[in-house]
Amino acid sequence: MKFFVDSADIEAISELADIGLVDGVTTNPSIIAKSGRDFKDVIKQICGLTDGHVSAEVVATEAQQMISEGQTLRKIADNVCVKLPLTLEGLKACKQLSGEGVPTNVTLCFSPNQALLAAKVGATYISPFIGRLDDITLDGMELIQDIREIYDNYGYETEVLAASIRSANHVKDCALVGADVITAPPGVIKGLANHPLTDKGLAAFMKDWDKSGQSI
Ligand code: E4P
């Protein structure tokens, strides 16, 4: 399973990349606005931190304009992936850009049928939002499972990029149901390494080692 970082925080992405935990990065207009930085500058810098895809989202709502924005974003770096909303206009733009060989990420997916449409227009990734479904007491993980089954039924190559991940359990459940990619905030990814028994066991080992008086 690939790990994408859902962030524009250069320091946090670099820290995870140094460990070897970054297969790509996703951003959205809210993340970019929060960074307080110029959109193209920050995407260019992120693209230098990974060889994987870096999703940069269009903000137009009409297909031709989305295509034009996508082509502009692609000029920033070879690993830019154009992120498009799951609307009919977004699907139309996805069909055109995918046909030109541009990597695409269709975002804001909340139903299996939406995911089916994204696969039919050749999206590289579909981004179903788990946390936002859970927020309204629906089942985000059921959506990931349904999309996995539908894509496998027909051999669609669109990758299931599970998004809006809020917890370690989301990551584990995505791995169990076979999501191709998860994108999560840096804190969630770092938190996957934590276990209280690991901390307790390590402290006991260190204490015993100190008592032994040895060194390596
Ligand atoms: C994914 O591409 C989105 O940027 C992101 O996962 C949205 O997460 P949120 O629902 O926590 O804002």
Side-chain angles (χ1 to χ4, degrees):
M1 186 168 71
K2 287 186 261 189
F3 275 32
F4 286 6
V5 189
D6 198 29
S7 176
D9 181 334
I10 300 296
E11 208 176 309
I13 298 166
S14 302
E15 184 187 1
L16 288 167
D18 287 346
I19 304 169
L21 293 175
V22 179
D23 298 307
V25 173
T26 52
T27 66
N28 62 40
S30 304
I31 288 172
I32 297 296
K34 193 175 153 203
S35 80
R37 295 189 51 196
D38 176 78
F39 184 19
K40 290 176 192 165
D41 284 351
V42 75
I43 292 294
K44 190 173 179 62
Q45 195 175 3
I46 295 169
C47 284
L49 301 175
T50 176
D51 292 333
H53 283 144
V54 175
S55 287
E57 189 162 341
V58 302
V59 289
T61 52
E62 180 273 323
Q64 274 317 312
Q65 191 57 30
M66 287 181 189
I67 292 164
S68 159
E69 288 183 1
Q71 286 161 343
T72 301
L73 292 170
R74 275 289 290 168
K75 287 184 191 139
I76 299 173
D78 286 345
N79 54 337
V80 165
C81 176
V82 177
K83 204 172 182 191
L84 302 150
L86 211 155
T87 58
L88 288 176
E89 291 294 305
L91 293 169
K92 192 172 173 184
C94 180
K95 174 83 182 165
Q96 167 79 23
L97 289 167
S98 297
E100 292 172 11
V102 172
T104 50
N105 176 359
V106 176
T107 189
L108 291 167
C109 170
F110 294 97
S111 80
N113 283 333
Q114 287 182 314
L116 186 53
L117 297 183
K120 283 190 72 65
V121 296
T124 312
Y125 302 101
I126 181 68
S127 287
F129 278 39
I130 299 170
R132 293 190 194 190
L133 281 169
D134 290 355
D135 287 345
I136 58 164
T137 68
L138 292 175
D139 187 347
M141 205 52 61
E142 185 179 288
L143 175 61
I144 304 296
Q145 205 162 8
D146 286 350
I147 297 171
R148 176 75 284 150
E149 190 173 335
I150 290 168
Y151 282 10
D152 288 349
N153 283 346
Y154 297 98
Y156 285 122
E157 286 178 11
T158 300
E159 293 189 46
V160 181
L161 196 176
S164 190
I165 282 184
R166 309 271 173 79
S167 67
N169 272 340
H170 278 159
V171 177
K172 179 199 68 175
D173 290 339
C174 282
L176 285 171
V177 303
D180 298 291
V181 192
I182 58 103
T183 188
V188 170
I189 295 177
K190 283 172 75 176
L192 299 178
N194 296 340
H195 198 288
L197 291 180
T198 303
D199 296 339
K200 191 178 167 192
L202 189 58
F205 287 159
M206 293 303 105
K207 199 172 161 199
D208 291 342
W209 184 252
D210 283 348
K211 276 191 252 166
S212 82
Q214 298 190 61
S215 62
I216 298 175

